[in-house]
């Protein structure tokens, strides 16, 4: 299984999945709990079946974030 989820996306999936899982448990909803657990699993394994079928990945998000941070640091040091 090849990873197709970037690091930032993985953290978002884990956080969102844990939130959905908690909501599902509190409301006794099996469907919401199932969706939450799927998102947590996608974040931990860094593999998303839907992205696989669409032949896409989210690795470029990490690169864009790193570039924005570099630009922010550069502008902060110039001032």
């Amino acid at each position: 299984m090849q990873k197709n989820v970037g690091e930032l996306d993985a953290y978002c999936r884990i956080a969102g999945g844990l939130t959905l899982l908690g909501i599902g448990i509190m409301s006794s909803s099996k469907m919401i709990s199932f969706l939450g657990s799927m998102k947590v699993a996608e974040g931990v394994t860094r593999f998303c079946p839907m992205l696989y079928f669409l032949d896409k990945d989210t690795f470029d998000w990490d690169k864009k974030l790193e570039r924005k941070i570099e630009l922010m640091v550069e502008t902060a040091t110039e001032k």
Side-chain angles (χ1 to χ4, degrees):
M1 177 169 38
Q2 182 178 350
K3 293 180 181 180
N4 61 2
V5 173
E7 190 173 342
L8 174 64
D9 190 16
Y11 290 140
C12 292
R13 287 173 190 259
I14 291 170
L18 288 173
T19 303
L20 281 175
L21 191 57
I23 292 170
I25 290 170
M26 294 297 289
S27 65
S28 299
S29 172
K30 291 181 182 178
M31 180 59 78
I32 294 175
S33 297
F34 177 71
L35 291 174
S37 62
M38 282 181 47
K39 288 297 156 191
V40 171
E42 289 174 4
V44 170
T45 60
R46 296 185 63 186
F47 176 79
C48 176
M50 188 61 76
L51 289 175
Y52 175 76
F53 289 125
L54 294 173
D55 196 31
K56 297 192 179 282
D57 60 45
T58 60
F59 294 121
D60 59 335
W61 292 8
D62 295 334
K63 294 174 189 167
K64 288 179 183 177
L65 180 64
E66 288 174 8
R67 182 64 187 143
K68 285 193 180 222
I69 291 172
E70 288 174 2
L71 290 174
M72 289 172 62
V73 169
E74 287 176 6
T75 56
T77 56
E78 290 176 359
K79 292 182 179 180

